[in-house]
Amino acid sequence: MTARKRFDVTFYSPWIGGLLRPGSASASGGAETQILALARGLVRRGHSVCMVVRDTEDGLPASFDGIEIRAIASPKGRGVWKLWWGLHVATALARSRSSAMVQSAAGVETLIVGAISRLYGRRFVYRSANVVDFDFGRLDRNRLRVAAYHLGIRLAQVLVVQTSEQVSLARQRFRRQPVLIKSVAETAAGPPGKSREAFLWIGRLAAYKRPDELLALAAALPRMPFRVVAVPGELDEASLRAEAGRLPNVEWLGPRARTELLELIGSAVAVVNTAEYEGMPNIFLEGWARGVPALSLHHDPDGVIESEGIGLFAAGDRERLAAQAASLWSEEEGARASLARRCVDYVEREHGLDRALDGWEMALGLPSRSRL
């Protein structure tokens, strides 16, 4: 009998499937984009990497860019099916023999990954995805699920966070000293910030993402174009789409393949964020990498939007947000080019892949390999 392959690290990332089939419009968010960038980078440094992923309707490849893919069927319902799903996840993780395991985003599955890691003597690294990870009860009112998540955090040998703000939150809420490893972004080719077609909002239709705030902003600025890339979520898409349809300056778009999303970001006046809470939004990073500023209503991660001059932050003030959007729209070419250059310079200086991989090798207990 052939021994099962051993890996240096296994990533449990159930929603990453849409990124593993080029051209797919299946929903994957910023956390998944970050995980894929890290996994690819580790493979290019010579580490063996596995991913445990929910299968998609059109199936998944057995491998992707040197990453071995272990696809598991999605749960079919609630109750006993959820228990079945948890056992299925645990089995898949146990079979993906590795020295370390990584999971991101708060939930019951944090406990599953932590328990399997502890049972098989593997290193468990939890990566924060959002500031709400440190106040999960705000997002999920079920006490059992919140308790399961907190127990999972206790089982993690290492907590990796994205921002200094999250370092403080981890100390306050978990009494843990985390490792700060910034999110990564790859600078786009070509001149930055050349196009300027519309303000762009990308996100899942979740209550905390506040797509209604974006529509209110568009209504306040009827002469300025807005695009909405809406990923289905718990909010009623039909009613939001109908409201958007009453605004002639709003183009409502459904999920897009990653290449199309990047083109939309590159042609944006600004990437708009109206969420009540965030981590380091991946759409900000992808915008800055293309010379596109951020326009944020509620959250400025580590204050970089203001301190680095790479966008505008309204600090929760809706009228201020509208005024800021108007100023970006009317900005002269020279000022816009300078802003675009600051965005790109910031990403190159603070969010390079090599620096992040150095940190992740240490967090995972892997030998340091040569730079890419």
Side-chain angles (χ1 to χ4, degrees):
M1 179 181 295
T2 303
R4 289 199 301 270
K5 182 178 178 180
R6 293 193 65 89
F7 299 95
D8 292 319
V9 57
T10 291
F11 289 91
Y12 174 62
S13 186
W15 300 108
I16 206 170
L19 298 176
L20 303 179
R21 294 190 67 89
S24 171
S26 297
S28 294
E32 289 78 23
T33 302
Q34 288 294 317
I35 290 296
L36 183 56
L38 293 170
R40 280 169 152 169
L42 289 170
V43 167
R44 286 159 63 187
R45 283 196 173 189
H47 301 293
S48 55
V49 178
C50 174
M51 277 189 181
V52 175
V53 188
R54 283 190 190 220
D55 207 352
T56 59
E57 290 185 2
D58 46 0
L60 290 172
S63 64
F64 182 84
D65 284 357
I67 306 162
E68 185 161 320
I69 307 301
R70 303 282 178 87
I72 53 178
S74 296
K76 301 177 181 179
R78 299 181 179 276
V80 69
W81 286 111
K82 287 290 187 181
L83 177 60
W84 171 88
W85 165 252
L87 293 172
H88 207 37
V89 170
T91 301
L93 292 171
R95 288 177 174 172
S96 59
R97 304 171 68 202
S98 61
S99 302
M101 306 187 80
V102 179
Q103 187 254 339
S104 183
V108 173
E109 288 150 312
T110 305
L111 174 58
I112 296 175
V113 180
I116 291 298
S117 299
R118 180 63 62 91
L119 182 63
Y120 288 90
R122 300 170 186 173
R123 189 180 184 89
F124 174 33
V125 179
Y126 178 80
R127 175 190 179 274
S128 66
N130 193 303
V131 295
V132 82
D133 288 10
F134 306 96
D135 190 14
F136 187 47
R138 181 178 177 184
L139 187 63
D140 192 328
R141 301 297 182 183
N142 185 292
R143 292 183 179 181
L144 284 176
R145 288 196 290 265
V146 172
Y149 165 65
H150 279 269
L151 180 54
I153 289 293
R154 291 179 63 184
L155 293 173
Q157 279 88 356
V158 181
L159 300 183
V160 171
V161 299
Q162 304 165 287
T163 62
S164 296
E165 175 188 17
Q166 292 176 20
V167 170
S168 297
L169 288 170
R171 290 171 177 164
Q172 293 167 15
R173 305 293 170 82
F174 298 146
R175 302 291 188 265
R176 298 281 300 268
Q177 177 60 44
V179 175
L180 172 59
I181 304 177
K182 293 184 178 181
S183 300
V184 301
E186 184 177 357
T187 305
K194 186 175 182 180
S195 300
R196 191 184 66 169
E197 296 178 4
F199 292 93
L200 180 65
W201 187 97
I202 301 175
R204 187 167 59 89
L205 295 180
Y208 81 93
K209 292 283 189 180
R210 298 302 302 270
D212 57 308
E213 295 277 19
L214 184 282
L215 296 180
L217 176 64
L221 302 169
R223 296 185 178 181
M224 299 176 198
F226 289 78
R227 287 172 175 158
V228 178
V229 178
V231 176
E234 66 265 24
L235 295 180
D236 183 358
E237 182 175 2
S239 63
L240 287 166
R241 183 193 288 268
E243 184 178 349
R246 291 189 285 271
L247 299 171
N249 59 328
V250 175
E251 183 181 6
W252 188 275
L253 305 171
R256 292 292 190 271
R258 180 161 171 74
T259 52
E260 294 179 65
L261 280 178
L262 295 179
E263 289 176 3
L264 289 172
I265 292 172
S267 65
V269 180
V271 172
V272 184
N273 188 290
T274 54
E276 294 175 347
Y277 41 81
E278 279 287 4
M280 171 58 80
N282 208 65
I283 56 169
F284 282 179
L285 292 169
E286 290 172 335
W288 292 329
R290 287 157 181 78
V292 176
L295 178 62
S296 182
L297 176 57
H298 291 295
H299 193 67
D300 181 0
D302 277 355
V304 298
I305 295 176
E306 291 193 320
S307 65
E308 297 285 347
I310 50 180
L312 296 171
F313 174 49
D317 186 328
R318 294 165 183 81
E319 292 184 1
R320 183 181 179 188
L321 185 74
Q324 289 173 334
S327 71
L328 287 172
W329 177 255
S330 61
E331 202 166 38
E332 295 183 356
E333 185 175 347
R336 184 156 53 90
S338 178
L339 173 56
R341 188 69 256 168
R342 287 198 302 274
C343 292
V344 173
D345 288 346
Y346 168 73
V347 165
E348 290 179 342
R349 185 177 72 250
E350 299 293 336
H351 295 278
L353 179 58
D354 265 321
R355 179 190 291 187
L357 289 174
D358 290 344
W360 273 99
E361 285 178 330
M362 292 183 64
L364 294 166
L366 298 177
S368 180
R369 300 283 172 83
S370 59
R371 288 176 169 249
L372 303 179

